[in-house]
Short mmCIF file of all heavy atoms in Angstrom, two decimals:
data_model
loop_
_atom_site.label_atom_id
_atom_site.label_comp_id
_atom_site.label_asym_id
_atom_site.label_seq_id
_atom_site.Cartn_x
_atom_site.Cartn_y
_atom_site.Cartn_z
N MET A 1 0.85 -1.17 0.00
CA MET A 1 0.00 0.00 0.00
C MET A 1 0.90 1.23 0.00
O MET A 1 1.79 1.35 0.82
CB MET A 1 -0.89 -0.05 1.24
CG MET A 1 -1.83 1.08 1.40
SD MET A 1 -2.88 0.76 2.83
CE MET A 1 -4.28 1.68 2.35
N SER A 2 0.67 2.12 -0.93
CA SER A 2 1.49 3.31 -1.00
C SER A 2 1.26 4.18 0.24
O SER A 2 0.17 4.17 0.84
CB SER A 2 1.20 4.09 -2.27
OG SER A 2 -0.05 4.73 -2.18
N ALA A 3 2.28 4.92 0.58
CA ALA A 3 2.20 5.75 1.78
C ALA A 3 1.10 6.81 1.66
O ALA A 3 0.40 7.10 2.63
CB ALA A 3 3.54 6.42 2.03
N LYS A 4 0.93 7.36 0.46
CA LYS A 4 -0.08 8.39 0.26
C LYS A 4 -1.49 7.83 0.46
O LYS A 4 -2.32 8.45 1.12
CB LYS A 4 0.05 8.96 -1.15
CG LYS A 4 -0.90 10.09 -1.43
CD LYS A 4 -0.71 10.64 -2.82
CE LYS A 4 -1.68 11.74 -3.12
NZ LYS A 4 -1.58 12.23 -4.49
N ARG A 5 -1.74 6.66 -0.09
CA ARG A 5 -3.08 6.06 0.05
C ARG A 5 -3.34 5.59 1.47
O ARG A 5 -4.45 5.67 1.97
CB ARG A 5 -3.25 4.92 -0.94
CG ARG A 5 -3.33 5.44 -2.36
CD ARG A 5 -3.56 4.33 -3.32
NE ARG A 5 -3.51 4.87 -4.67
CZ ARG A 5 -4.11 4.31 -5.69
NH1 ARG A 5 -4.79 3.21 -5.53
NH2 ARG A 5 -4.02 4.85 -6.88
N LYS A 6 -2.29 5.09 2.11
CA LYS A 6 -2.44 4.65 3.49
C LYS A 6 -2.76 5.84 4.39
O LYS A 6 -3.65 5.77 5.24
CB LYS A 6 -1.16 3.97 3.98
CG LYS A 6 -1.27 3.36 5.35
CD LYS A 6 -0.03 2.58 5.69
CE LYS A 6 -0.18 1.88 7.00
NZ LYS A 6 1.00 1.11 7.36
N THR A 7 -2.08 6.95 4.15
CA THR A 7 -2.34 8.16 4.92
C THR A 7 -3.75 8.66 4.66
O THR A 7 -4.44 9.10 5.58
CB THR A 7 -1.32 9.26 4.55
OG1 THR A 7 -0.01 8.75 4.78
CG2 THR A 7 -1.51 10.50 5.37
N SER A 8 -4.18 8.59 3.42
CA SER A 8 -5.53 9.02 3.06
C SER A 8 -6.58 8.18 3.79
O SER A 8 -7.57 8.72 4.30
CB SER A 8 -5.72 8.92 1.55
OG SER A 8 -7.04 9.18 1.20
N ALA A 9 -6.39 6.88 3.83
CA ALA A 9 -7.33 6.00 4.50
C ALA A 9 -7.36 6.27 6.01
O ALA A 9 -8.43 6.33 6.62
CB ALA A 9 -6.99 4.54 4.24
N LYS A 10 -6.18 6.46 6.59
CA LYS A 10 -6.10 6.75 8.02
C LYS A 10 -6.74 8.09 8.35
O LYS A 10 -7.42 8.23 9.37
CB LYS A 10 -4.64 6.75 8.49
CG LYS A 10 -4.00 5.40 8.54
CD LYS A 10 -4.58 4.59 9.67
CE LYS A 10 -3.86 3.26 9.78
NZ LYS A 10 -4.46 2.40 10.78
N ALA A 11 -6.54 9.09 7.48
CA ALA A 11 -7.14 10.40 7.70
C ALA A 11 -8.66 10.31 7.64
O ALA A 11 -9.36 10.93 8.44
CB ALA A 11 -6.62 11.39 6.66
N GLU A 12 -9.16 9.53 6.71
CA GLU A 12 -10.62 9.36 6.58
C GLU A 12 -11.18 8.66 7.82
O GLU A 12 -12.24 9.04 8.33
CB GLU A 12 -10.95 8.57 5.33
CG GLU A 12 -12.41 8.58 4.98
CD GLU A 12 -12.68 8.05 3.58
OE1 GLU A 12 -11.90 7.23 3.07
OE2 GLU A 12 -13.68 8.47 3.01
N GLN A 13 -10.45 7.69 8.33
CA GLN A 13 -10.89 7.00 9.54
C GLN A 13 -10.92 7.96 10.73
O GLN A 13 -11.88 7.97 11.50
CB GLN A 13 -9.94 5.84 9.87
CG GLN A 13 -10.03 4.69 8.92
CD GLN A 13 -8.90 3.69 9.13
OE1 GLN A 13 -7.88 3.99 9.72
NE2 GLN A 13 -9.09 2.49 8.62
N ALA A 14 -9.88 8.77 10.87
CA ALA A 14 -9.80 9.70 11.98
C ALA A 14 -10.89 10.77 11.89
O ALA A 14 -11.54 11.10 12.89
CB ALA A 14 -8.43 10.36 12.02
N LYS A 15 -11.10 11.29 10.69
CA LYS A 15 -12.12 12.32 10.48
C LYS A 15 -13.51 11.76 10.82
O LYS A 15 -14.32 12.42 11.46
CB LYS A 15 -12.06 12.80 9.04
CG LYS A 15 -12.83 14.06 8.77
CD LYS A 15 -12.47 14.62 7.42
CE LYS A 15 -13.56 14.38 6.43
NZ LYS A 15 -13.31 14.96 5.10
N GLY A 16 -13.75 10.53 10.40
CA GLY A 16 -15.02 9.90 10.70
C GLY A 16 -15.22 9.67 12.19
O GLY A 16 -16.32 9.88 12.72
N ALA A 17 -14.16 9.27 12.86
CA ALA A 17 -14.24 9.04 14.30
C ALA A 17 -14.55 10.33 15.05
O ALA A 17 -15.34 10.34 15.99
CB ALA A 17 -12.94 8.43 14.81
N VAL A 18 -13.93 11.43 14.60
CA VAL A 18 -14.19 12.72 15.24
C VAL A 18 -15.64 13.14 15.02
O VAL A 18 -16.32 13.56 15.96
CB VAL A 18 -13.21 13.79 14.70
CG1 VAL A 18 -13.64 15.19 15.12
CG2 VAL A 18 -11.80 13.50 15.17
N LYS A 19 -16.12 13.02 13.79
CA LYS A 19 -17.51 13.38 13.50
C LYS A 19 -18.47 12.55 14.33
O LYS A 19 -19.46 13.05 14.87
CB LYS A 19 -17.84 13.16 12.02
CG LYS A 19 -17.45 14.28 11.12
CD LYS A 19 -17.95 14.00 9.72
CE LYS A 19 -17.55 15.07 8.75
NZ LYS A 19 -18.03 14.79 7.39
N GLU A 20 -18.18 11.27 14.44
CA GLU A 20 -19.05 10.38 15.21
C GLU A 20 -19.08 10.79 16.67
O GLU A 20 -20.15 10.87 17.29
CB GLU A 20 -18.55 8.94 15.07
CG GLU A 20 -19.43 7.92 15.73
CD GLU A 20 -18.92 6.50 15.53
OE1 GLU A 20 -17.92 6.30 14.81
OE2 GLU A 20 -19.53 5.60 16.11
N THR A 21 -17.92 11.08 17.24
CA THR A 21 -17.84 11.46 18.65
C THR A 21 -18.53 12.80 18.91
O THR A 21 -19.28 12.93 19.88
CB THR A 21 -16.36 11.55 19.08
OG1 THR A 21 -15.75 10.28 18.84
CG2 THR A 21 -16.23 11.89 20.54
N VAL A 22 -18.28 13.77 18.03
CA VAL A 22 -18.92 15.08 18.20
C VAL A 22 -20.43 14.95 18.04
O VAL A 22 -21.19 15.54 18.82
CB VAL A 22 -18.33 16.10 17.19
CG1 VAL A 22 -19.15 17.37 17.18
CG2 VAL A 22 -16.89 16.40 17.52
N GLY A 23 -20.86 14.19 17.07
CA GLY A 23 -22.29 13.99 16.88
C GLY A 23 -22.94 13.36 18.09
O GLY A 23 -24.05 13.75 18.49
N ARG A 24 -22.26 12.39 18.68
CA ARG A 24 -22.80 11.74 19.87
C ARG A 24 -22.85 12.72 21.05
O ARG A 24 -23.83 12.75 21.80
CB ARG A 24 -21.93 10.53 20.24
CG ARG A 24 -22.54 9.67 21.32
CD ARG A 24 -21.72 8.41 21.61
NE ARG A 24 -21.58 7.59 20.41
CZ ARG A 24 -20.41 7.12 19.96
NH1 ARG A 24 -19.30 7.38 20.61
NH2 ARG A 24 -20.36 6.39 18.88
N ALA A 25 -21.80 13.54 21.19
CA ALA A 25 -21.73 14.49 22.31
C ALA A 25 -22.80 15.58 22.18
O ALA A 25 -23.38 16.01 23.18
CB ALA A 25 -20.35 15.12 22.37
N VAL A 26 -23.05 16.02 20.97
CA VAL A 26 -24.00 17.10 20.74
C VAL A 26 -25.42 16.59 20.63
O VAL A 26 -26.38 17.34 20.78
CB VAL A 26 -23.60 17.88 19.46
CG1 VAL A 26 -24.55 19.02 19.17
CG2 VAL A 26 -22.19 18.41 19.57
N GLY A 27 -25.56 15.31 20.34
CA GLY A 27 -26.89 14.73 20.17
C GLY A 27 -27.38 14.82 18.75
O GLY A 27 -28.58 14.71 18.49
N ASP A 28 -26.46 15.04 17.81
CA ASP A 28 -26.80 15.15 16.39
C ASP A 28 -26.65 13.77 15.75
O ASP A 28 -25.56 13.34 15.39
CB ASP A 28 -25.89 16.16 15.71
CG ASP A 28 -26.27 16.45 14.27
OD1 ASP A 28 -27.12 15.72 13.72
OD2 ASP A 28 -25.71 17.40 13.71
N ARG A 29 -27.76 13.07 15.63
CA ARG A 29 -27.75 11.70 15.12
C ARG A 29 -27.23 11.63 13.68
O ARG A 29 -26.53 10.70 13.31
CB ARG A 29 -29.17 11.14 15.20
CG ARG A 29 -29.29 9.72 14.85
CD ARG A 29 -28.97 8.87 16.05
NE ARG A 29 -29.32 7.50 15.74
CZ ARG A 29 -28.83 6.50 16.38
NH1 ARG A 29 -28.02 6.68 17.38
NH2 ARG A 29 -29.17 5.28 16.05
N SER A 30 -27.56 12.62 12.88
CA SER A 30 -27.13 12.66 11.49
C SER A 30 -25.60 12.74 11.39
O SER A 30 -24.99 12.03 10.60
CB SER A 30 -27.77 13.85 10.78
OG SER A 30 -27.27 13.97 9.47
N MET A 31 -25.00 13.62 12.19
CA MET A 31 -23.55 13.76 12.16
C MET A 31 -22.87 12.47 12.64
O MET A 31 -21.86 12.05 12.10
CB MET A 31 -23.09 14.93 13.03
CG MET A 31 -21.58 15.15 13.01
SD MET A 31 -21.03 16.44 14.14
CE MET A 31 -21.46 17.88 13.17
N GLU A 32 -23.46 11.87 13.65
CA GLU A 32 -22.93 10.61 14.17
C GLU A 32 -22.95 9.52 13.09
O GLU A 32 -21.97 8.80 12.90
CB GLU A 32 -23.76 10.17 15.38
CG GLU A 32 -23.22 8.96 16.09
CD GLU A 32 -24.07 8.58 17.30
OE1 GLU A 32 -24.92 9.38 17.74
OE2 GLU A 32 -23.89 7.45 17.78
N ASP A 33 -24.04 9.44 12.36
CA ASP A 33 -24.16 8.45 11.29
C ASP A 33 -23.17 8.73 10.15
O ASP A 33 -22.56 7.81 9.61
CB ASP A 33 -25.58 8.42 10.73
CG ASP A 33 -26.58 7.85 11.73
OD1 ASP A 33 -26.14 7.18 12.69
OD2 ASP A 33 -27.79 8.08 11.54
N LYS A 34 -23.02 9.99 9.78
CA LYS A 34 -22.07 10.35 8.73
C LYS A 34 -20.65 9.99 9.14
O LYS A 34 -19.86 9.51 8.34
CB LYS A 34 -22.15 11.84 8.40
CG LYS A 34 -23.38 12.21 7.62
CD LYS A 34 -23.43 13.70 7.36
CE LYS A 34 -24.74 14.09 6.70
NZ LYS A 34 -24.84 15.55 6.50
N GLY A 35 -20.31 10.25 10.40
CA GLY A 35 -18.99 9.91 10.91
C GLY A 35 -18.75 8.41 10.89
O GLY A 35 -17.67 7.94 10.50
N ARG A 36 -19.76 7.65 11.27
CA ARG A 36 -19.63 6.20 11.27
C ARG A 36 -19.43 5.67 9.85
O ARG A 36 -18.59 4.81 9.60
CB ARG A 36 -20.88 5.58 11.89
CG ARG A 36 -20.77 4.08 12.11
CD ARG A 36 -21.97 3.50 12.83
NE ARG A 36 -22.10 4.05 14.18
CZ ARG A 36 -23.16 4.73 14.62
NH1 ARG A 36 -24.19 4.94 13.83
NH2 ARG A 36 -23.21 5.19 15.84
N THR A 37 -20.16 6.25 8.90
CA THR A 37 -20.04 5.86 7.50
C THR A 37 -18.66 6.19 6.95
O THR A 37 -18.03 5.39 6.28
CB THR A 37 -21.12 6.56 6.65
OG1 THR A 37 -22.40 6.21 7.17
CG2 THR A 37 -21.02 6.18 5.20
N GLU A 38 -18.19 7.39 7.27
CA GLU A 38 -16.89 7.83 6.78
C GLU A 38 -15.77 6.94 7.34
O GLU A 38 -14.84 6.58 6.63
CB GLU A 38 -16.67 9.28 7.21
CG GLU A 38 -15.69 10.02 6.36
CD GLU A 38 -15.76 11.51 6.62
OE1 GLU A 38 -16.83 12.10 6.45
OE2 GLU A 38 -14.72 12.07 7.01
N ARG A 39 -15.87 6.62 8.62
CA ARG A 39 -14.86 5.75 9.24
C ARG A 39 -14.87 4.37 8.60
O ARG A 39 -13.82 3.78 8.32
CB ARG A 39 -15.12 5.64 10.74
CG ARG A 39 -14.01 4.91 11.48
CD ARG A 39 -14.15 5.07 12.98
NE ARG A 39 -15.52 4.92 13.44
CZ ARG A 39 -15.97 3.85 14.09
NH1 ARG A 39 -15.18 2.84 14.34
NH2 ARG A 39 -17.21 3.79 14.49
N ALA A 40 -16.05 3.86 8.33
CA ALA A 40 -16.16 2.54 7.69
C ALA A 40 -15.57 2.54 6.28
O ALA A 40 -14.93 1.58 5.87
CB ALA A 40 -17.62 2.11 7.65
N LYS A 41 -15.78 3.63 5.53
CA LYS A 41 -15.19 3.73 4.20
C LYS A 41 -13.67 3.70 4.28
O LYS A 41 -13.01 3.04 3.47
CB LYS A 41 -15.63 5.03 3.52
CG LYS A 41 -17.00 4.96 2.92
CD LYS A 41 -17.51 6.22 2.29
CE LYS A 41 -16.52 7.17 1.72
NZ LYS A 41 -17.09 8.39 1.15
N GLY A 42 -13.11 4.39 5.26
CA GLY A 42 -11.66 4.36 5.45
C GLY A 42 -11.17 2.97 5.81
O GLY A 42 -10.13 2.52 5.32
N ASP A 43 -11.91 2.28 6.66
CA ASP A 43 -11.56 0.90 7.04
C ASP A 43 -11.56 -0.02 5.82
O ASP A 43 -10.65 -0.81 5.63
CB ASP A 43 -12.53 0.36 8.08
CG ASP A 43 -12.39 1.01 9.45
OD1 ASP A 43 -11.35 1.65 9.71
OD2 ASP A 43 -13.34 0.88 10.25
N LEU A 44 -12.60 0.11 5.00
CA LEU A 44 -12.71 -0.74 3.81
C LEU A 44 -11.61 -0.44 2.80
O LEU A 44 -11.04 -1.35 2.20
CB LEU A 44 -14.07 -0.56 3.15
CG LEU A 44 -15.23 -1.22 3.85
CD1 LEU A 44 -16.55 -0.82 3.19
CD2 LEU A 44 -15.08 -2.72 3.83
N ARG A 45 -11.31 0.83 2.62
CA ARG A 45 -10.24 1.21 1.69
C ARG A 45 -8.90 0.63 2.14
O ARG A 45 -8.16 0.08 1.35
CB ARG A 45 -10.15 2.73 1.58
CG ARG A 45 -9.08 3.16 0.59
CD ARG A 45 -9.00 4.64 0.44
NE ARG A 45 -10.24 5.13 -0.12
CZ ARG A 45 -10.66 6.37 0.03
NH1 ARG A 45 -9.97 7.24 0.71
NH2 ARG A 45 -11.80 6.74 -0.51
N GLU A 46 -8.63 0.75 3.44
CA GLU A 46 -7.38 0.23 3.97
C GLU A 46 -7.31 -1.30 3.82
O GLU A 46 -6.30 -1.85 3.41
CB GLU A 46 -7.22 0.62 5.44
CG GLU A 46 -5.90 0.19 6.02
CD GLU A 46 -5.74 0.63 7.46
OE1 GLU A 46 -6.74 0.96 8.13
OE2 GLU A 46 -4.60 0.64 7.92
N ALA A 47 -8.40 -1.98 4.13
CA ALA A 47 -8.43 -3.43 4.02
C ALA A 47 -8.26 -3.88 2.57
O ALA A 47 -7.54 -4.85 2.29
CB ALA A 47 -9.75 -3.97 4.57
N GLY A 48 -8.89 -3.17 1.65
CA GLY A 48 -8.76 -3.50 0.23
C GLY A 48 -7.34 -3.34 -0.26
O GLY A 48 -6.81 -4.19 -1.00
N LYS A 49 -6.68 -2.28 0.14
CA LYS A 49 -5.29 -2.05 -0.27
C LYS A 49 -4.36 -3.08 0.34
O LYS A 49 -3.42 -3.55 -0.31
CB LYS A 49 -4.84 -0.64 0.11
CG LYS A 49 -5.63 0.45 -0.58
CD LYS A 49 -5.47 0.37 -2.08
CE LYS A 49 -6.32 1.43 -2.75
NZ LYS A 49 -6.33 1.32 -4.19
N LYS A 50 -4.61 -3.46 1.57
CA LYS A 50 -3.77 -4.48 2.21
C LYS A 50 -3.92 -5.82 1.51
O LYS A 50 -2.95 -6.53 1.30
CB LYS A 50 -4.12 -4.63 3.69
CG LYS A 50 -3.56 -3.53 4.54
CD LYS A 50 -3.88 -3.76 6.00
CE LYS A 50 -3.32 -2.66 6.88
NZ LYS A 50 -3.61 -2.86 8.30
N ALA A 51 -5.15 -6.17 1.13
CA ALA A 51 -5.38 -7.43 0.41
C ALA A 51 -4.70 -7.40 -0.95
O ALA A 51 -4.09 -8.38 -1.37
CB ALA A 51 -6.88 -7.66 0.25
N LYS A 52 -4.79 -6.27 -1.60
CA LYS A 52 -4.16 -6.13 -2.92
C LYS A 52 -2.65 -6.28 -2.79
O LYS A 52 -2.01 -6.94 -3.61
CB LYS A 52 -4.51 -4.75 -3.51
CG LYS A 52 -4.05 -4.54 -4.90
CD LYS A 52 -4.53 -3.18 -5.41
CE LYS A 52 -4.04 -2.92 -6.81
NZ LYS A 52 -4.49 -1.60 -7.30
N ASP A 53 -2.07 -5.68 -1.77
CA ASP A 53 -0.62 -5.79 -1.54
C ASP A 53 -0.22 -7.23 -1.23
O ASP A 53 0.85 -7.69 -1.64
CB ASP A 53 -0.18 -4.89 -0.41
CG ASP A 53 -0.15 -3.41 -0.79
OD1 ASP A 53 -0.23 -3.12 -2.01
OD2 ASP A 53 -0.06 -2.57 0.11
N ALA A 54 -1.05 -7.95 -0.51
CA ALA A 54 -0.74 -9.33 -0.16
C ALA A 54 -0.67 -10.22 -1.39
O ALA A 54 0.14 -11.14 -1.47
CB ALA A 54 -1.78 -9.86 0.82
N PHE A 55 -1.53 -9.95 -2.39
CA PHE A 55 -1.53 -10.75 -3.59
C PHE A 55 -0.42 -10.39 -4.56
O PHE A 55 -0.10 -11.15 -5.46
CB PHE A 55 -2.89 -10.67 -4.30
CG PHE A 55 -3.95 -11.49 -3.64
CD1 PHE A 55 -4.98 -10.89 -2.93
CD2 PHE A 55 -3.90 -12.88 -3.68
CE1 PHE A 55 -5.95 -11.65 -2.30
CE2 PHE A 55 -4.87 -13.65 -3.06
CZ PHE A 55 -5.89 -13.03 -2.37
N LYS A 56 0.18 -9.23 -4.37
CA LYS A 56 1.28 -8.81 -5.24
C LYS A 56 2.54 -9.62 -4.94
O LYS A 56 3.40 -9.74 -5.78
CB LYS A 56 1.59 -7.32 -5.05
CG LYS A 56 0.61 -6.43 -5.75
CD LYS A 56 1.04 -4.98 -5.63
CE LYS A 56 0.10 -4.08 -6.37
NZ LYS A 56 0.49 -2.67 -6.23
N ARG A 57 2.64 -10.16 -3.75
CA ARG A 57 3.85 -10.89 -3.36
C ARG A 57 3.84 -12.23 -3.92
O ARG A 57 3.88 -13.00 -4.49
CB ARG A 57 3.92 -11.00 -1.84
CG ARG A 57 4.05 -9.65 -1.22
CD ARG A 57 4.11 -9.74 0.26
NE ARG A 57 4.12 -8.37 0.78
CZ ARG A 57 4.24 -8.09 2.02
NH1 ARG A 57 4.39 -9.02 2.91
NH2 ARG A 57 4.23 -6.85 2.44
#
């Protein structure tokens, strides 16, 4: 996994986690859901890249 893409996936995960936490603290269910979705997208992107790298070997 290239460093740029790995950083991008990690940033998306962190951004989603922050949105989720803030949404939960403020009571904004919509923001919490968006954060959860964003974090999941980052998780999936990272997992996909790791699997792709594993098959390259």
Side-chain angles (χ1 to χ4, degrees):
M1 180 175 207
S2 73
K4 183 178 179 184
R5 290 183 185 205
K6 186 173 184 180
T7 303
S8 173
K10 288 290 184 185
E12 191 167 27
Q13 290 170 340
K15 193 167 105 177
V18 168
K19 276 186 182 179
E20 185 178 356
T21 302
V22 170
R24 189 175 301 129
V26 180
D28 186 350
R29 186 84 170 160
S30 175
M31 182 185 281
E32 186 179 346
D33 291 343
K34 286 179 186 177
R36 188 175 297 120
T37 301
E38 203 167 302
R39 188 168 43 106
K41 280 177 29 181
D43 290 343
L44 285 173
R45 182 178 296 157
E46 184 178 19
K49 297 299 177 186
K50 283 183 180 180
K52 186 176 179 181
D53 286 347
F55 284 108
K56 282 185 178 179
R57 296 180 185 184

